[in-house]
Amino acid sequence: MGYTYTISCRINEEDRAQLLKHADTLELSTSEYLRYLIRLPISAKEADDTTRCIVVRTRDLEDIDAELTKWGYHYNQAVHAMNTIALFIRRGRVDYDHFSTSIQTIETELAMVRNACEEFRQSFQTIEDSVLIGG
């Protein structure tokens, strides 16, 4: 993106130090940092005390997404294990009553985990899709 305009303003040493510190913390140039600040919605600046503006780095969202993917792998492994148990039950190699009850409990628990993971993923997708400032 090309930038056409240059803006300058006067700030004191304390504000300059904070500007440099915040930009450095976020690994941004001071110009990038100021552009992000400009893009913050006015409603967030003027909102009451119950409204918060949250900044989440895209890199962090990617890490969360990767973690949720790992949960999916674990879920699939659990389902595979359940299928193996079911196979042994069908072949009469284990105590049917014990494993039948266990399988039902495992299925219920895994369904709850799956639903929670999906809600969690959708929440973060909403956050990612609603980025107001960013590159």
Side-chain angles (χ1 to χ4, degrees), residues 2-109:
Y3 298 104
T4 306
Y5 303 99
T6 301
I7 305 285
S8 65
C9 69
R10 296 172 195 249
I11 57 175
N12 62 28
E13 185 57 39
E14 182 181 333
D15 287 342
R16 182 178 181 277
Q18 274 199 312
L19 171 64
L20 295 173
K21 177 184 170 190
H22 292 172
D24 185 56
T25 298
L26 296 172
E27 300 176 2
L28 299 170
S29 70
T30 54
S31 292
E32 288 173 313
Y33 180 74
L34 289 171
R35 281 191 292 273
Y36 289 165
L37 288 177
I38 290 167
R39 293 175 189 154
L40 284 174
I42 290 294
S43 60
K45 295 176 187 174
E46 296 175 349
D48 59 23
D49 291 338
T50 61
T51 302
R52 292 178 292 179
C53 183
I54 299 172
V55 177
V56 181
R57 296 183 303 176
T58 304
R59 181 175 19 200
D60 294 331
L61 289 174
E62 290 168 354
D63 290 345
I64 291 167
D65 183 60
E67 188 63 31
L68 289 174
T69 299
K70 288 180 192 176
W71 289 4
Y73 293 144
H74 292 301
Y75 176 83
N76 286 338
Q77 289 175 347
V79 170
H80 178 71
M82 284 179 23
N83 288 335
T84 301
I85 290 170
L87 177 67
F88 280 107
I89 289 171
R90 284 193 300 272
R91 291 183 178 175
R93 295 186 184 173
V94 292
D95 178 13
Y96 176 78
D97 292 331
H98 173 72
F99 282 104
S100 177
T101 302
S102 297
I103 287 172
Q104 290 172 1
T105 302
I106 291 168
E107 283 183 46
T108 301
E109 294 296 324

